[in-house]
Amino acid sequence: MIRHDRRNALARLASVATSLAACAALPSANAAAKPAPLKDLAAAKGLRFGNAVGYQYFKDPAYRALTARECNVIVAENEMKWPFVEPKPGQYAYSQPDEMIAWARKEGMQVRGHTLVWQPEKWLPEWVAKYDFGQGPAKAEKLLRDHVTRVCQHFGKNVYSWDVVNEAIEPETGEYRVNEFTKRLGAVDQIELAFRVAHEQAPHAQLVYNDFMGEEADNAKHRAGVLKLLQELKKRGAPVQALGLQSHIGSSNNGRQKADMREWRKFLDEVTGMGLDLLITEFDVNDKSMPADIRQRDAGVAAVAKDYLDVTLSYPQTRDLLVWGIADHASWLQTWEDAARKDKLAQRPLPYDASFKAKPLREAIAASLKAMPKRS
Ligand code: XIL
């Protein structure tokens, strides 16, 4: 769907580029003064700042050092997902996340858990599709219950916040997604079950429903579907405490209009009105529709980020901001088909470039952290 006039968008980006490039030049003019770590700017306002670390990047000492300098939280990018922790039924693999957690503890960082049940069929372990569920719901319930129990018990108090259920809503329709568990247990019932078991097994942890509904006009059905789910869970008394806003922004909001942010505020008002907290769980900026020129593109990414963060962080209920990778080469967008740029250039979605040089996006994040209200 075409949302905005591309030429207007490009003109806007070009003008933001000029002003942001000027700001971005300042720190390098005074290279001796290291900017305050993002985690410190965040902590001064009562917010945690984190990074999603994939094991292959974790192995790079420079990547680890940058993560430790900027962040006080990590989340495993993939390594705690069901197909990773149980690649075959009854065969468990925890060594990579355990190694990352041990490092995080040594560095004095906290750990988020992502994710106990990722709903789309594609992201459940392959063996689940072939599993012998027999007649009736009993075996499906046992499989789900045992999985959530085992993973929560394994990670225990090392995880302060869990994405219990990820992406349960079809973005195009706002309906519940269908998978082996929804078919046998009912869509909301199996989500409720996952939350109840997580609460039993990890009573200390914040329990989060996480999804990628965005602020764009064509995300209205996705947002409505998520609200419906949260309302239903609250009505049932399920122990859901927060909504995770994945915040993979930028793919379609080139030239975004203010009206979109009004819709986003309405959505966040509804969610917080239910007594739920918010987290930005997977922040990055897809620059697919931005110009090739690096200065213009980096400025465009920073501008889109600032708009989004200023609104979302203005809610004191937002307690965490996690980026989905901290340096461009580590971004999942480099290989995700839908994010491929027409000009085949690499994406620049994260606060640092591939040689660990800070980009205007880092400045934009720092500026939003400085501007946001203090959490009590
Ligand atoms: C992505 C990882 O970054 C990729 O490495 C992997 O191949 C697929 O999953 N929403 C989520 C994350 O909740 O788990 C996804 O992570 C990105 C989108």
Side-chain angles (χ1 to χ4, degrees):
M1 191 208 280
I2 297 171
R3 283 168 217 97
H4 307 297
D5 175 29
R6 201 176 144 74
R7 259 171 308 175
N8 282 346
L10 288 178
R12 178 173 178 255
L13 280 184
S15 77
V16 199
T18 321
S19 47
L20 268 161
C23 299
L26 286 177
S28 57
N30 180 10
K34 269 210 166 175
L38 294 171
K39 66 179 175 190
D40 290 355
L41 297 178
K45 300 289 180 65
L47 185 95
R48 283 173 284 256
F49 186 81
N51 181 25
V53 185
Y55 189 73
Q56 68 274 41
Y57 306 109
F58 173 75
K59 291 274 106 190
D60 173 0
Y63 196 85
R64 279 205 306 273
L66 178 60
T67 299
R69 189 164 80 234
E70 294 283 41
C71 304
N72 48 23
V73 172
I74 59 162
V75 59
E77 183 179 359
N78 290 302
E79 294 72 9
M80 288 191 193
K81 292 170 180 171
W82 194 348
F84 285 72
V85 295
E86 193 177 2
K88 292 196 178 134
Q91 191 185 94
Y92 307 114
Y94 295 117
S95 66
Q96 294 186 354
D98 285 352
E99 200 182 326
M100 292 195 267
I101 289 176
W103 172 77
R105 286 184 65 111
K106 200 181 82 209
E107 295 288 344
M109 304 165 94
Q110 288 186 276
V111 179
R112 289 206 72 238
H114 176 81
T115 168
L116 293 171
V117 204
W118 197 356
Q119 294 280 298
E121 201 105 77
K122 171 179 181 190
W123 299 114
L124 288 168
E126 268 181 51
W127 56 262
V128 167
K130 299 173 219 138
Y131 196 75
D132 176 14
F133 285 100
Q135 297 292 314
K139 280 184 152 183
E141 182 178 333
K142 182 169 174 3
L143 185 62
L144 192 58
R145 188 182 278 283
D146 287 353
H147 165 65
V148 173
T149 300
R150 197 178 306 107
V151 176
C152 286
Q153 284 183 356
H154 178 84
F155 293 111
K157 291 214 169 132
N158 284 324
V159 168
Y160 74 92
S161 171
W162 270 111
D163 290 333
V164 178
V165 173
N166 194 31
E167 300 180 356
I169 303 297
E170 284 288 356
E172 286 81 19
T173 60
E175 300 298 327
Y176 295 113
R177 291 187 195 267
V178 175
N179 67 28
E180 297 303 325
F181 297 103
T182 68
K183 281 186 237 166
R184 291 174 175 85
L185 302 172
V188 182
D189 300 71
Q190 50 99 39
I191 294 173
E192 183 184 357
L193 176 69
F195 274 94
R196 289 199 185 280
V197 177
H199 185 60
E200 276 162 34
Q201 300 299 332
H204 64 280
Q206 176 195 43
L207 302 184
V208 179
Y209 172 71
N210 192 51
D211 209 332
F212 61 85
M213 65 282 128
E215 70 287 5
E216 298 94 336
D218 73 343
N219 275 222
K221 284 190 180 153
H222 197 176
R223 290 193 298 267
V226 168
L227 286 178
K228 195 174 102 185
L229 168 62
L230 294 173
Q231 274 151 0
E232 184 60 30
L233 290 173
K234 291 296 278 184
K235 201 174 92 191
R236 295 177 180 208
V240 55
Q241 287 143 11
L243 173 64
L245 313 164
Q246 288 189 8
S247 310
H248 295 293
I249 68 168
S251 54
S252 54
N253 49 12
N254 196 357
R256 187 167 61 218
Q257 291 157 0
K258 291 285 177 221
D260 296 329
M261 292 321 275
R262 276 208 296 274
E263 287 307 309
W264 187 238
R265 275 184 197 279
K266 266 197 229 162
F267 174 71
L268 299 181
D269 286 345
E270 295 237 28
V271 176
T272 52
M274 288 182 224
L276 293 168
D277 278 335
L278 301 169
L279 306 87
I280 298 177
T281 50
E282 307 184 12
F283 185 79
D284 55 23
V285 187
N286 182 339
D287 69 18
K288 184 180 176 176
S289 50
M290 295 185 191
D293 177 84
I294 284 183
R295 279 170 66 114
Q296 280 186 40
R297 189 144 46 109
D298 284 358
V301 163
V304 165
K306 183 84 171 48
D307 281 359
Y308 178 86
L309 292 176
D310 280 348
V311 172
T312 310
L313 294 174
S314 74
Y315 287 77
Q317 294 90 342
T318 310
R319 304 273 176 173
D320 298 64
L321 164 54
L322 277 77
V323 287
W324 205 245
I326 199 158
D328 289 336
H329 64 286
S331 173
W332 71 303
L333 295 174
Q334 307 299 3
T335 50
W336 187 48
E337 248 173 64
D338 286 356
R341 291 177 56 92
K342 281 214 186 73
D343 55 21
K344 305 254 192 308
L345 292 173
Q347 284 262 350
R348 299 178 60 82
L350 295 174
Y352 284 81
D353 71 12
S355 50
F356 299 116
K357 192 164 158 278
K359 295 163 51 198
L361 176 56
R362 189 197 179 279
E363 289 304 306
I365 295 172
S368 291
L369 294 175
K370 286 180 193 159
M372 76 185 184
K374 201 167 175 187
R375 279 76 182 132
S376 55

